Amino acid sequence: MKITRTFVLSGVALLALSGCSSATPQPEPSPSSSKISYADGLHAKVLSVETANTITVDVDGRTKEVRLLNVVAPTEHNNEFSGSCLVPESTDFLKQKLPEGTEVTLDFDDSRVGSSGYLEAAVYVGDDLINADVVREGFATTTFLSQRDEHYAPVSEAQQEAAREGRGIYSKDVECSLPHAIQLHLDRVHRADDSQNEEERIGLYKSASNFYNTLMSEAKSPDTWVGSIVTLDAVKDQLKELKNALGKNYYDVQGKSEREKQSEANEPIRPGS
């Protein structure tokens, strides 16, 4: 999606001149003493890529670490579903998009610095929004700070595209992805249906039910923001398929199956009970 923007040249504040004679020559402001104006259209040069959502850039001779606005990258220490999936692959992808020396333009949201403490920006190469590119390939997901986030919409749309096309962390073929985990339990349920071993069958049903219950407890309202919760909105149809496959063999959080609850409801009341 091509985004048309108006570039605003960033200014550099001059050093204040005070207490000096007009005849005294004044030194030129150095990069270290001048202040960066964080306005849309700020030009920078890529020095390195740290993760799928963090880069180091040079701005007028100063080194700044920038986090891609509205983008959440997988990390080795993320315990959320799919949160530690494709970490090196996602970083390599961004390195290919932004090799050292690439000229980029930075746009900012009103908040500019997010809760992480990083300088957060929409990173452009020409009219190409890099934030959306990483998410579109399924190498990262989107997040937001408020309803007024300026760049959330295109990044969220990119995530929905990745989910529809089954790319990256939305692929059933990627072992660390959530869709792969759901499919694995779905296959186990089908295998349980064909099993003659009652103990094995019940174990598979309970395992799939516990997985489903845990997943749903992790996301109280996955549909509140389209694409805002890592992969859950994208796999809601797949989760529904798993629940339907379990049918009466679904076990609730109390460990009771639908079949058991139905049996108890149909049990006749005995005299004196």
Side-chain angles (χ1 to χ4, degrees), residues 86-158:
L86 301 178
V87 174
E89 292 86 349
S90 63
T91 304
D92 288 344
F93 176 80
L94 188 56
K95 286 180 178 179
Q96 293 173 12
K97 295 290 294 185
L98 299 176
E100 182 180 353
T102 301
E103 299 284 347
V104 297
T105 304
L106 307 180
D107 279 3
F108 302 91
D109 204 335
D110 290 339
S111 59
R112 294 182 183 170
V113 178
S115 58
S116 64
Y118 286 91
L119 175 65
E120 297 184 317
V123 179
Y124 289 89
V125 175
D127 285 334
D128 187 13
L129 178 58
I130 301 300
N131 306 48
D133 289 347
V134 179
V135 172
R136 186 175 292 107
E137 293 303 315
F139 286 126
T141 59
T142 186
T143 186
F144 61 94
L145 294 177
S146 74
Q147 187 176 359
R148 295 181 298 277
D149 279 15
E150 295 179 25
H151 302 281
Y152 173 74
V155 181
S156 179
E157 289 170 7

Side-chain angles (χ1 to χ4, degrees), residues 44 53 88 129 132 147 159 187 240 243 253 269:
N53 73 336
L129 178 58
Q147 187 176 359
Q159 177 166 306
D187 293 342
K240 183 177 180 181
K243 181 74 178 296
V253 292
I269 300 176

Side-chain angles (χ1 to χ4, degrees), residues 64-82:
K64 294 291 181 180
E65 196 165 49
V66 176
R67 178 162 288 183
L68 273 61
L69 192 65
N70 296 120
V71 176
V72 178
T75 67
E76 296 287 357
H77 307 294
N78 193 328
N79 294 323
E80 299 294 333
F81 290 104
S82 297

Side-chain angles (χ1 to χ4, degrees), residues 28-63:
E28 291 295 326
S30 64
S32 60
S33 62
S34 56
K35 184 179 180 181
I36 299 175
S37 176
Y38 293 112
D40 286 357
L42 182 65
H43 296 290
K45 180 182 294 185
V46 175
L47 297 177
S48 62
V49 171
E50 318 310 327
T51 69
N53 73 336
T54 306
I55 62 176
T56 301
V57 301
D58 176 275
V59 182
D60 292 336
R62 281 147 296 186
T63 299

Side-chain angles (χ1 to χ4, degrees), residues 109-237:
D109 204 335
D110 290 339
S111 59
R112 294 182 183 170
V113 178
S115 58
S116 64
Y118 286 91
L119 175 65
E120 297 184 317
V123 179
Y124 289 89
V125 175
D127 285 334
D128 187 13
L129 178 58
I130 301 300
N131 306 48
D133 289 347
V134 179
V135 172
R136 186 175 292 107
E137 293 303 315
F139 286 126
T141 59
T142 186
T143 186
F144 61 94
L145 294 177
S146 74
Q147 187 176 359
R148 295 181 298 277
D149 279 15
E150 295 179 25
H151 302 281
Y152 173 74
V155 181
S156 179
E157 289 170 7
Q159 177 166 306
Q160 294 172 63
E161 180 180 332
R164 287 194 303 270
E165 299 298 326
R167 300 173 187 150
I169 60 174
Y170 305 99
S171 172
K172 295 179 183 179
D173 297 327
V174 175
E175 291 187 2
C176 57
S177 74
L178 181 55
H180 178 84
I182 298 174
Q183 188 61 47
L184 190 63
H185 281 285
L186 188 57
D187 293 342
R188 288 173 179 173
V189 169
H190 292 320
R191 188 170 77 245
D193 292 340
D194 297 330
S195 175
Q196 300 300 314
N197 186 314
E198 183 177 2
E199 183 177 353
E200 178 189 26
R201 187 167 62 250
I202 293 176
L204 291 171
Y205 290 145
K206 285 185 175 181
S207 176
S209 297
N210 289 338
F211 171 79
Y212 177 87
N213 293 335
T214 299
L215 192 60
M216 297 311 295
S217 70
E218 291 291 326
K220 301 300 181 183
S221 55
D223 297 324
T224 301
W225 286 83
V226 177
S228 63
I229 294 179
V230 178
T231 72
L232 286 187
D233 183 73
V235 298
K236 60 185 179 183
D237 290 339

